[in-house]
Amino acid sequence: MAPPDLPLFERDREQAVLSAVIGELRSGRPALVTVTGEPGLGQNELLRWAAGQARDRGVHVLAARATSAEHELRYGVVAQLLAPEDRDIATRLFVAPQRPGGLPGLNHLLTACHDRPTLLVVQDVQWLDPASLRWLEALARRLPRAPLALLTSTTGTAIDRPEWSVGTPLTGLASTIELALPPLTTSGVSAAVRTVCGVPGDTDFTHALAQATRGVPAVVHEVLLRFTRTGCAPRAEHVEHLRALTAEVVGDHAAQALSELRDPVAVDVLRALAVCGDLLDFPLVCTLAGLHPVPEARLRATLMASGLLTPRDGSPPGHDAVVRARILEEMPAADRADLYARAARLAQRVAVADQGIAELLLRARPVGAPWAVATLRRGFAAALRSGRRDRATAYLARALDEPLRSEERARVELQLASVQMVTAPTAAERRLHGLIRSTGTGTGLRSQAVDLCLLGGDTRAARLAQPTGPGTLGDPAPCDADVPAPRQGSGTGSLPGRRARAVAGDATAPRGGNTSDPAHRDGADEHPERTATADNDATVSAREELATVGDRHELATVSERHELIALLRVARFLRHEETCPGVPPAPALPEHSHSPAVAGVRAWEHAMAGVHLEASRRLARAAFAPDPGGRPPLVTPRLFACRALFLTDDGDEAEAHLATLLNEAHRQRAAIAIAHVLAVRADLHLRHGRPDAAARDLAAAEAELPPARLHPLFVPYWASLNLVADLQNGRPDRAREIAARPVPSLSEECATSAYLLFARGVLARSEDDPQRARAYFRACGRWLLHYGCVNPAVLPWRSLAAEAAHALGDDAEALRLTREEVRLAARWGTRSALGRAELGLAVVIRENRTEHFRAAVATLSESPARTDYTRAVLELASAESAEAERRTALALTSRRASTAGGVAPGPLPGFSQAPPAPAGVPPGRGAAPHPRPPAGWPALSPAEHETALLAASGLANREIATTLSVTTRAVELRLSGVYRKLRIRGREELRALRYGPEGG
């Protein structure tokens, strides 16, 4: 059974006008009515309704419909109109020769109309053949003399616009009316839903239907019919299904209209418009379609009449995305790719925007021109700036289809992989592995590929370039062969072996000593000035003696070899695989190398081993020097150099280098590098007592690299940073949630697992669970020692495990751990590490605790570890309170302030110290017992603890913000939390807690 026609919703005005025309026609008054609108708005349905009304009123009706298939058929519409009056009229019209000025059957029709009113209904006059058009125009000129009305419909602009439709003098005294049909409103769409579906639709469903169909009644009707066949109710949960059905209906209508379009020139122009109609104006689109004799105005009218092209708000004609796709689907793939290529060439000649040309090139065959790759790369950069990473990778992948030189192709591959590390890491790894294996990769690109793989967590990439012989990387020749032999006749002579190794670098391990331990490997670190002078002399000599192109190429090869060894050492730290069968050990770093990458990794290895502080600092700074051979800098070695710098208490310098790295990564649009730099900077903020800044950096890092895309090797490190930041920012619930999250199994095999174990231990310590805290700190220590990390500056697990053991009553273990940490911290030599170790010893030792606390405060006062210094002051004040020596703590605090050049922060509030002695009473005598701490004090976070200390000492909010390197708003929020947890109302009560109930 055929579906019922959709009622004429919201056509009351037009129906009233047509009823009036029919009524006046019965009274002998002629009229000419044109109904216009986009295809599907119901023009022909309205004409059929009017024809039915006229027949019911006794009006004689003659109807015809023009089609695109009969556009060239002479008198095709006239034959349809006159056939009911004369059955042989078609034969005479089609066969008889045409006479000049002849209008067959017109006079007979006009004569018959005098006896009975007649309504002529002609649908789709945009497809009128020229002869029928002249015939109807002649009829319009004679309307005032006969009781006859002409009712026509059209979509858009007719090919040859009838003159009667504009109310010209041709029509004389006849009424000329043009009815433009609008789309359905939301109310009309709602009525259609109720009629077809039988039940009212949800508001969201109705709005989605109106938006998807643009209120075109024909589309609304068919979409609703298909929707009801699925058995779904018109509810909001089915909106996506509704949109899919709408796309199908619109596409089917477009395919039908395209099949009815017979003009091949119009089809070519329509396809060209579908390709680049949004980029080029109509004359250029016609040029793209090819040379043809059809006028532009006629082509535009033909396309408008087809319904495949519609004007939008006075702008040039355009297509719906669905219609455009359906038009292009009808083309053969090769023709479509060729059309896109020609469109891209034309757009490039007329200077269209880069992203527009890049969009055309995405679907075009290779054009083989240099401008294509340059345009795609510029489009890539623009897409990244707008945050469209998927589109950016598509541009670069398309650039690889063009003919490229090997080095340029490798650079595009590397750039593409840097973005795919975030969007498609598996594809990026395959691409980078191909670059690493390639022998024709340009200078520095192979090392950059390994560097990028390490940022993505792929340690296997470094193994692809693992040394296959002693002292070489990918080359079984011995290291002495690294230096090229002088060419005959060059005049440079042969270099002594020692100087040659100093220039080219020696990738072999020294023949004596343990090369895996930096303490035994870097003998030059004992005399850095002498080493630097020797290195400079070697460099000058090398440049003087190895000046040929071949020698420079060999030196570049050696430099790359050193970089790859350095990256392999990083991979070994991230994931210790040397215990696996078949995995050879990582080679030692070259003894003498001018590679900044080697310097950065060696600085970190010194820091891990806790030896050669000055050498580590010098090497870390050398990691940021330009490469002597002009090789591009690597990210991973510089990140490890920054971590070494803030282990050497050079945090400000490390922060400056991190800012440089961040700017460089932003310029290169390398999201994965940006994320890792931000994570390392967050680590620095936490170590320097800036948890709010760390939280901001971590949030920005996760925006660049979502946690779901983070490689399992880095999950523990990022989780530990988030956990500690939340804990220090007073969000213990979030910290517990992070600690409870499961980590991937691969995360348990990497060095960064120690950081998460340490952070969980800190959380257990804040929850007053020493048993669990000690277990976590011990596990952290075992993992660090497994990876060769003994430096307490990395993570002070020994002192915290000792405090937990002390709380559990195991004083022997506590003393052993703290003394070991003091020894190792003294060997390393930084104030932060030594001060933390002394503080840990002071907490667990019984003899001379106050003196140990004084030593810790004195040491930490000259370090950047603000949180540890605050805790040391608190502990010293508490110890001195028991000994009635409060002035010493205040003096030390004042000395810290004078050293820092700021206002001296006072000790913690009065429940951690003795109140001041009354006037005239010597210190330590007559002092009232200090009050017990309020119930809410243990609930304060470390950040709130520190802020409360400074506020109780009399500092203003701005001074506290300057001291803690936070914003004034952060200080206000912390103090609000302090007041709420302590159940006090402001600074006065906080100061009262400091001095006790008697004040002073």
Side-chain angles (χ1 to χ4, degrees):
M1 183 176 65
D5 291 336
L6 185 68
L8 295 172
F9 291 110
E10 297 186 329
R11 299 293 182 252
D12 297 338
R13 182 183 66 88
E14 290 81 4
Q15 289 174 318
V17 170
L18 293 178
S19 295
V21 168
I22 293 170
E24 293 179 353
L25 178 60
R26 295 180 71 248
S27 301
R29 293 195 59 182
L32 199 156
V33 182
T34 303
V35 182
T36 65
E38 294 183 21
L41 290 181
Q43 300 94 313
N44 294 338
E45 286 79 1
L46 194 60
L47 262 62
R48 286 194 290 270
W49 175 87
Q53 291 291 315
R55 291 190 185 96
D56 294 342
R57 297 187 186 185
V59 175
H60 184 55
V61 178
L62 299 176
R65 181 178 181 182
T67 62
S68 60
E70 297 179 356
H71 176 61
E72 302 298 332
L73 180 62
R74 188 180 61 171
Y75 292 121
V77 170
V78 174
Q80 294 181 51
L81 287 173
L82 300 181
E85 305 294 328
D86 186 355
R87 294 181 178 179
D88 299 330
I89 187 67
T91 304
R92 296 196 300 274
L93 290 175
F94 300 155
V95 176
Q98 184 177 5
R99 293 176 298 173
L103 299 170
L106 180 59
N107 291 331
H108 176 74
L109 175 65
L110 293 174
T111 302
C113 288
H114 286 288
D115 297 333
R116 54 180 179 179
T118 303
L119 175 66
L120 271 64
V121 179
V122 181
Q123 301 177 21
D124 297 329
V125 294
Q126 71 270 12
W127 298 118
L128 280 174
D129 60 275
S132 297
L133 177 62
R134 290 194 302 271
W135 192 93
L136 288 174
E137 287 177 346
L139 173 66
R141 286 193 294 269
R142 292 165 174 77
L143 281 181
R145 299 194 298 270
L148 188 145
L150 178 59
L151 178 59
T152 63
S153 69
T154 180
T155 58
T157 304
I159 297 174
D160 292 316
R161 185 170 176 83
E163 295 187 19
W164 72 74
S165 62
V166 293
T168 64
L170 291 177
T171 59
L173 300 177
S175 300
T176 304
I177 302 171
E178 182 170 355
L179 299 175
L181 300 183
L184 294 179
T185 64
T186 305
S187 300
V189 174
S190 179
V193 172
R194 188 182 307 108
T195 301
V196 178
C197 298
V199 293
D202 285 352
T203 302
D204 293 341
F205 182 90
T206 302
H207 280 291
L209 179 61
Q211 183 179 13
T213 61
R214 294 187 300 158
V216 177
V219 179
V220 172
H221 188 205
E222 189 166 350
V223 169
L224 288 175
L225 288 176
R226 295 190 186 186
F227 183 80
T228 54
R229 292 193 194 107
T230 63
C232 299
R235 298 289 181 263
E237 57 266 22
H238 301 302
V239 165
E240 293 302 323
H241 179 53
L242 174 74
R243 291 195 177 105
L245 287 177
T246 304
E248 290 181 7
V249 172
V250 172
D252 292 344
H253 285 195
Q256 182 179 358
L258 186 62
S259 65
E260 295 174 354
L261 192 61
R262 305 296 180 179
D263 188 350
V265 175
V267 172
D268 291 340
V269 173
L270 186 64
R271 289 171 174 172
L273 277 170
V275 167
C276 57
D278 295 336
L279 299 175
L280 305 177
D281 55 16
F282 194 77
L284 286 174
V285 171
C286 294
T287 302
L288 178 64
L291 298 176
H292 50 77
V294 183
E296 177 186 325
R298 184 175 180 85
L299 276 174
R300 189 189 296 270
T302 301
L303 297 177
M304 290 286 206
S306 69
L308 294 169
L309 195 64
T310 56
R312 295 182 179 178
D313 302 327
S315 61
H319 290 284
D320 258 348
V322 176
V323 176
R324 177 182 304 174
R326 188 57 66 93
I327 290 171
L328 295 176
E329 283 175 5
E330 302 294 327
M331 295 182 66
D335 294 345
R336 183 168 58 245
D338 181 71
L339 179 60
Y340 271 108
R342 291 189 287 113
R345 289 195 187 95
L346 180 59
Q348 194 269 340
R349 287 200 297 270
V350 299
V352 173
D354 287 333
Q355 279 196 279
I357 304 175
E359 284 293 324
L360 295 175
L361 289 171
L362 277 183
R363 300 167 180 84
R365 57 169 175 77
V367 297
W371 60 263
V373 177
T375 301
L376 286 166
R377 297 185 75 173
R378 289 194 298 269
F380 160 82
L384 280 186
R385 284 194 297 271
S386 60
R388 302 167 61 205
R389 289 176 180 163
D390 292 340
R391 184 57 75 187
T393 56
Y395 290 153
L396 281 191
R398 171 60 182 83
L400 293 173
D401 294 336
E402 296 290 332
L404 296 170
R405 291 180 291 106
S406 59
E407 185 171 350
E408 185 179 8
R409 179 175 295 277
R411 292 187 183 279
V412 174
E413 293 261 13
L414 185 68
Q415 196 174 21
L416 175 57
S418 69
V419 181
Q420 286 183 327
M421 271 296 179
V422 177
T423 59
T426 303
E429 289 177 6
R430 287 198 300 266
R431 198 177 298 278
L432 292 172
H433 288 184
L435 287 177
I436 295 168
R437 293 190 182 97
S438 175
T439 57
T441 304
T443 303
L445 293 181
R446 195 161 175 241
S447 301
Q448 286 181 284
V450 178
D451 182 37
L452 189 54
C453 282
L454 289 177
L455 290 175
D458 177 20
T459 57
R460 296 173 302 164
R463 294 287 178 189
L464 294 178
Q466 186 175 3
T468 57
T472 62
L473 196 66
D475 185 358
C479 187
D480 290 342
D482 289 348
V483 182
R487 300 185 180 186
Q488 294 182 0
S490 62
T492 59
S494 64
L495 289 173
R498 184 174 180 181
R499 177 173 296 180
R501 278 190 291 273
V503 175
D506 188 0
T508 60
R511 295 185 178 179
N514 182 8
T515 61
S516 64
D517 187 355
H520 300 283
R521 191 173 65 244
D522 195 358
D525 294 337
E526 298 175 0
H527 304 283
E529 296 83 7
R530 188 185 308 170
T531 303
T533 304
D535 290 345
N536 291 335
D537 292 341
T539 304
V540 173
S541 300
R543 291 175 179 173
E544 292 175 353
E545 298 181 33
L546 300 179
T548 63
V549 176
D551 294 339
R552 288 197 299 269
H553 173 73
E554 187 66 22
L555 287 177
T557 303
V558 173
S559 297
E560 180 181 79
R561 190 174 300 146
H562 290 180
E563 287 178 346
L564 293 175
I565 292 175
L567 294 173
L568 185 57
R569 300 289 296 182
V570 173
R572 175 185 178 273
F573 167 74
L574 291 176
R575 189 179 182 191
H576 207 341
E577 298 177 314
E578 294 179 358
T579 57
C580 300
V583 178
L589 289 171
E591 281 294 327
H592 304 285
S593 176
H594 300 287
S595 170
V598 172
V601 176
R602 173 166 284 180
W604 173 248
E605 290 191 349
H606 283 330
M608 289 275 289
V611 294
H612 303 310
L613 173 64
E614 291 302 324
S616 178
R617 181 180 285 124
R618 174 176 58 81
L619 288 167
R621 291 168 178 167
F624 294 92
D627 187 88
R631 298 174 63 80
L634 304 179
V635 176
T636 305
R638 288 185 290 168
L639 279 179
F640 277 88
C642 286
R643 295 173 70 176
L645 279 175
F646 60 71
L647 292 181
T648 61
D649 279 358
D650 297 296
D652 293 339
E653 187 175 351
E655 191 167 4
H657 287 310
L658 287 171
T660 302
L661 278 173
L662 192 60
N663 291 334
E664 178 184 303
H666 276 296
R667 285 196 305 271
Q668 296 174 355
R669 309 291 174 185
I672 194 164
I674 293 172
H676 281 285
V677 173
L678 288 170
V680 173
R681 194 168 70 175
D683 192 351
L684 175 61
H685 288 320
L686 290 176
R687 290 174 181 270
H688 287 192
R690 300 189 292 265
D692 48 350
R696 288 193 297 270
D697 276 350
L698 289 172
E702 291 182 359
E704 295 289 340
L705 181 60
R709 297 286 188 181
L710 187 64
H711 194 276
L713 289 182
F714 300 114
V715 168
Y717 182 59
W718 285 43
S720 68
L721 296 177
N722 279 285
L723 192 157
V724 176
D726 286 336
L727 198 59
Q728 292 187 5
N729 282 317
R731 294 190 288 265
D733 293 339
R734 289 182 55 179
R736 282 190 287 269
E737 179 186 350
I738 294 172
R741 290 176 189 167
V743 295
S745 58
L746 183 60
S747 301
E748 301 174 357
E749 304 175 10
C750 61
T752 59
S753 296
Y755 288 86
L756 183 56
L757 292 169
F758 184 84
R760 287 172 173 169
V762 172
L763 177 62
R765 181 170 175 265
S766 69
E767 295 174 343
D768 197 19
D769 188 350
Q771 187 74 35
R772 190 159 53 96
R774 181 170 69 168
Y776 278 128
F777 291 133
R778 282 176 168 177
C780 168
R782 286 193 297 270
W783 206 245
L784 287 176
L785 293 175
H786 173 70
Y787 277 88
C789 178
V790 297
N791 191 349
V794 178
L795 290 174
W797 62 271
R798 294 177 182 85
S799 58
L800 295 183
E803 291 183 22
H806 178 67
L808 294 171
D810 193 349
D811 292 339
E813 181 185 2
L815 287 173
R816 179 182 61 81
L817 289 172
T818 51
R819 284 170 177 161
E820 182 181 2
E821 181 161 330
V822 169
R823 178 181 61 81
L824 293 173
R827 187 180 76 167
W828 177 236
T830 61
R831 290 286 182 175
S832 296
L834 183 58
R836 280 193 296 264
E838 291 173 343
L839 178 59
L841 178 62
V843 170
V844 302
I845 200 168
R846 294 183 182 275
E847 299 81 9
N848 299 323
R849 295 183 72 235
T850 304
E851 296 302 324
H852 285 291
F853 280 128
R854 288 195 186 105
V857 170
T859 305
L860 289 171
S861 65
E862 301 176 7
S863 78
R866 297 183 180 183
T867 304
D868 294 311
Y869 170 75
T870 303
R871 183 186 172 218
V873 171
L874 167 61
E875 297 286 357
L876 176 58
S878 179
E880 289 181 340
S881 174
E883 300 178 7
E885 296 178 354
R886 174 176 173 275
R887 290 185 180 180
T888 306
L890 294 176
L892 287 172
T893 304
S894 301
R895 188 177 70 180
R896 159 75 176 204
S898 63
T899 303
V903 181
L908 286 176
F911 44 80
S912 62
Q913 65 186 40
V921 178
R925 297 181 183 179
H930 60 276
R932 297 179 62 186
W937 183 256
L940 297 183
S941 68
E944 291 172 340
H945 213 169
E946 187 176 23
T947 306
L949 161 67
L950 299 177
S953 301
L955 271 67
N957 285 359
R958 182 170 296 179
E959 294 170 327
I960 297 174
T962 302
T963 302
L964 299 180
S965 300
V966 298
T967 62
T968 306
R969 178 59 177 164
V971 173
E972 294 171 355
L973 293 175
R974 290 180 184 180
L975 288 178
S976 297
V978 170
Y979 301 153
R980 184 179 67 256
K981 293 176 182 179
L982 298 183
R983 298 183 180 180
I984 60 177
R985 288 177 290 182
R987 283 178 180 264
E988 294 302 323
E989 295 187 28
L990 187 62
R991 289 173 62 83
L993 288 175
R994 172 185 176 182
Y995 293 114
E998 296 182 1

